[in-house]
Amino acid sequence: MLRRVVILLLLLSLLAPAGLYVSGLWRPPPRWDPWAVLDIRDTPNFVTPWKLARLEREPAACFAALEQSGLAMARLPDRASDSGCPLENTVRLEGGRAALSPAGPVVTCPLAVAWAMFERHALQPAARAHFGQGVRAVRQLGTYNCRNVYHRAEGRRSQHATANAIDIAGFTLADGRAITLLRDWEGAGPEAAFLRDARDGACRFFKAVLGPDYNAPHRDHFHLDRGRWSRCS
Ligand SMILES: [Zn+2]
């Protein structure tokens, strides 16, 4: 009898919050609520990947996330394409503390949000941990490019074809020191450790993260995208 009561109470304690949530009578704090708009400033948790994925399905929620987080990024008009390279829900990407160079590349809204999360919660903390200072600039090699994977004539379109990817060649620290993937990935010093931490951090917010460990074409850059295919190397 007692056992049945305990089981019943356990079930109730699990179901009651779910019932209250569905009925709208109770909500957890926004950062734990899968349906609340993502705030880029919140410390990431296990709900974050779900919230990031939702932004891809719901453009309005994506732009709300940018706005709510105080990130001023200029929204661009959609552009249809006959060649499989449409621009939909795009913005000009602005860095946070780290400026992008060249500045203002065109990216999808979900990629912009992932970038903001990456910079704030992974890149800058990694630089502070390894060098005691932040990153002031990021060297980017491009975002939007109407092409197939690996520039092949045949095959599937790259995530770059819809501005859903960014290639990163290196970083400049606050004191002006430059760190590049080509030169510093294979070292034993803090530069290599920093680049590995940056890669691992990127995997928390992007889908495919491809760097020098992936293959030779990526020996000089990180490819970061928000496509369907997940890979962290
Ligand atoms: Zn790329």
Side-chain angles (χ1 to χ4, degrees):
M1 178 66 189
L2 183 64
R3 211 165 135 191
R4 276 195 199 161
V5 170
V6 168
I7 289 172
L8 192 67
L9 284 175
L10 265 174
L11 271 175
L12 269 178
S13 70
L14 288 172
L15 288 175
L20 290 171
Y21 184 90
V22 170
S23 62
L25 290 171
W26 172 79
R27 283 279 185 272
R31 70 194 188 95
W32 296 104
D33 181 353
W35 292 103
V37 170
L38 174 78
D39 191 320
I40 289 159
R41 296 164 295 190
D42 284 343
T43 305
N45 59 38
F46 68 89
V47 183
T48 307
W50 199 91
K51 288 192 177 215
L52 284 171
R54 184 183 156 213
L55 302 185
E56 277 145 29
R57 302 188 299 270
E58 298 176 31
C62 190
F63 289 109
L66 284 180
E67 205 165 298
Q68 177 178 303
S69 307
L71 297 172
M73 293 196 205
R75 187 171 177 172
L76 299 167
D78 286 356
R79 204 175 73 190
S81 163
D82 295 335
S83 45
C85 302
L87 288 177
E88 291 171 354
N89 306 310
T90 54
V91 295
R92 283 208 181 279
L93 179 61
E94 309 289 345
R97 286 205 166 157
L100 286 153
S101 170
V106 178
V107 296
T108 60
C109 183
L111 192 92
V113 171
W115 178 266
M117 297 286 288
F118 164 66
E119 193 203 329
R120 185 182 187 99
H121 300 292
L123 181 66
Q124 297 291 3
R128 285 195 293 273
H130 290 285
F131 306 108
Q133 58 183 309
V135 171
R136 88 166 179 218
V138 177
R139 179 83 189 155
Q140 58 101 2
L141 300 177
T143 55
Y144 182 55
N145 187 348
C146 188
R147 64 172 174 83
N148 292 339
V149 173
Y150 296 116
H151 301 266
R152 287 182 190 129
E154 305 284 326
R156 62 189 162 88
R157 281 288 193 221
S158 162
Q159 288 295 320
H160 287 287
T162 47
N164 204 26
I166 185 167
D167 291 338
I168 300 297
F171 308 93
T172 306
L173 299 177
D175 69 3
R177 197 184 335 173
I179 298 166
T180 70
L181 271 85
L182 189 59
R183 188 187 60 209
D184 298 313
W185 182 261
E186 293 296 346
E191 291 85 359
F194 161 71
L195 288 174
R196 275 159 179 77
D197 278 359
R199 188 266 316 270
D200 294 347
C203 295
R204 295 162 57 201
F205 306 110
F206 295 94
K207 285 278 187 61
V209 174
L210 310 177
D213 279 356
Y214 182 60
N215 62 9
H218 292 88
R219 67 189 176 280
D220 62 351
H221 70 277
F222 290 135
H223 165 97
L224 314 173
D225 76 39
R226 281 296 303 176
R228 292 212 182 114
W229 184 60
S230 284
R231 172 102 201 193
C232 178
S233 56

